[in-house]
Amino acid sequence: MLKQTSNLNEEVTRFVDGLDHPLQKEITQLRQAILNANTGLTENIKWNGPNYCFHGEDRITMRIQPPKQIQLIFHRGAKVLEQPNEKLVNDRSGLLTWKTNDRAIAAFKNMEQILASKQALSTLINDWVVAAR
């Protein structure tokens, strides 16, 4: 049973519930993992998927299409910013594939991968929120 997260957005829940997606349970698990990791995150729909903001700034976007895997895009918003000299966070877990020093992707193909990386993902989310300010 998933822990009920108080900051689940009803609009996002309706969006996810209306999906015909083979990884729908994984999407729900990731939503809760993200929101449980940092209570300062808020949830909305952006770029046709769940999106997570900290103090109104986009930080993590869930890419759900194509439906072979779920990707979490870690970023600093839609605008291109000056690149930091080093990667924004230290990813000891190896979950992130870096695109630039301030943009990375974590990909999940099944529930087992999500559950196995839950603690590491929580740490990454919190580190990202702090570093992306």
Side-chain angles (χ1 to χ4, degrees):
M1 180 93 187
L2 295 174
K3 177 184 168 191
Q4 185 63 17
T5 307
S6 62
N7 50 350
L8 283 174
N9 179 297
E10 288 181 26
E11 176 190 6
V12 179
T13 298
R14 283 192 299 275
F15 173 83
V16 171
D17 288 349
L19 291 174
D20 181 20
H21 198 290
L23 298 174
Q24 194 154 355
K25 288 180 182 173
E26 287 81 353
I27 292 168
T28 298
Q29 181 69 42
L30 282 169
R31 285 181 67 205
Q32 295 204 341
I34 292 166
L35 292 170
N36 285 335
N38 189 303
T39 58
L41 289 168
T42 57
E43 182 180 50
N44 60 34
I45 298 290
K46 192 170 269 190
W47 300 300
N48 206 28
N51 182 66
Y52 301 87
C53 301
F54 189 77
H55 295 301
E57 298 290 331
D58 297 330
R59 293 296 175 243
I60 302 167
T61 302
M62 191 181 300
R63 183 170 178 236
I64 59 175
Q65 299 297 337
K68 298 175 195 165
Q69 66 181 350
I70 306 301
Q71 292 182 329
L72 298 181
I73 315 299
F74 289 77
H75 56 89
R76 294 194 295 163
K79 294 178 183 171
V80 176
L81 301 174
E82 184 177 333
Q83 281 295 303
N85 292 330
E86 296 178 6
K87 291 180 173 121
L88 213 54
V89 298
N90 181 11
D91 174 24
R92 292 177 288 283
S93 68
L95 283 174
L96 297 179
T97 301
W98 291 90
K99 298 303 179 183
T100 60
N101 282 345
D102 68 348
R103 187 170 183 270
I105 298 171
F108 303 94
K109 294 183 178 181
N110 56 50
M111 187 67 78
E112 292 75 26
Q113 287 180 331
I114 295 167
L115 295 176
S117 57
K118 200 170 182 178
Q119 187 60 48
L121 183 58
S122 180
T123 299
L124 277 175
I125 290 165
N126 282 301
D127 289 351
W128 194 269
V129 166
V130 169
R133 290 184 188 179

